[in-house]
Amino acid sequence: MAAIAGTVGGAAVLAGQAMLARARRYATPDLRLAMRSSVGTAGAPILRLVLLGDSTALGVGVDRVIETVGGQLAQLLAEAPGVRRVELSSVAVSGSRSSDLGTQVARALVGPRPDVALVLIGGNDAIHFGRVADAAEYLGAAVRRLRSAGVNVVVGTCPDLGAARAFAPPLRQLVGWQGRRLAQAQAQAVRAADGVPVDLAEQTGAVFRADAGTYCHDGYHPSADGYRVWAHALLPAVTAAAMVNH
């Protein structure tokens, strides 16, 4: 009986924490962040970088394109040896799950073909506890479509949700566990589809756990500093992808 009571009590605690997390005031999308922008020297060779995914790919939590993960990556790429001009665009939609990527891929392929696509997805799949295998399959299908169109693809797998202050323990540990499961499945699906996965949780999770300043006011979306941490983690893979066929 004690074990049953403990289980029921634990479930009640998690349900209450989930309700509080849903009621929390989160940063809202700014459509200006999805506008096309150009970073680098005029007249330099052009690198077309498109972002797909959820609110983190769009840059929710900051006010300027240059502060988003895409904007900071574009700046780093433009400053690297063999200077190029980065044409940055985003088809990401806040709140997206992996099942929404098909529409985003179609939008990304309209007009001049991107050289590199960066996909950031998984947080919403994890916190809604959808089937990990399904989410990974949708992601793999999106990567295959982009690769078949001649686009090099880098995927930042689900970040360390166990670091997010928006969730109180033990809910934080539970979503962190689900996020890790998803990230592992994502990495396998991305490799199988000829994309390059970057384990954001492994590479940046410790920084987000140690420094609350890596999050914006809502404790869930990265701040400009948090997006900078991600940009540096993603830079080697994006740089390598950019060099292919150039």
Side-chain angles (χ1 to χ4, degrees), residues 50-172:
V50 62
L51 270 74
L52 302 87
D54 57 23
S55 56
T56 59
L58 180 61
V60 172
V62 298
D63 299 320
R64 299 185 300 157
V65 172
I66 200 63
E67 295 175 327
T68 67
V69 65
Q72 300 201 53
L73 262 174
Q75 190 69 48
L76 290 169
L77 288 165
E79 293 173 350
V83 178
R84 56 179 66 84
R85 182 162 60 93
V86 181
E87 295 292 339
L88 177 66
S89 62
S90 174
V91 294
V93 178
S94 182
S96 291
R97 303 189 200 183
S98 298
S99 57
D100 299 311
L101 286 173
T103 301
Q104 294 188 26
V105 169
R107 292 175 56 205
L109 295 177
V110 172
R113 177 179 60 82
D115 298 297
V116 180
L118 172 62
V119 185
L120 299 174
I121 198 77
N124 293 308
D125 295 285
I127 64 176
H128 288 93
F129 291 91
R131 289 191 70 241
V132 164
D134 290 346
E137 185 176 344
Y138 281 120
L139 174 59
V143 174
R144 281 191 293 273
R145 284 177 59 191
L146 288 164
R147 291 294 295 123
S148 67
V151 182
N152 298 313
V153 184
V154 175
V155 176
T157 58
C158 186
D160 183 9
L161 297 177
R165 275 73 170 175
F167 309 117
L171 180 60
R172 186 184 300 175

Side-chain angles (χ1 to χ4, degrees), residues 48 80 82 89 130 132 153 156 159 201 207 214 225 227 236:
R48 293 185 173 88
S89 62
V132 164
V153 184
V207 179
T214 52
D225 287 339
Y227 283 128

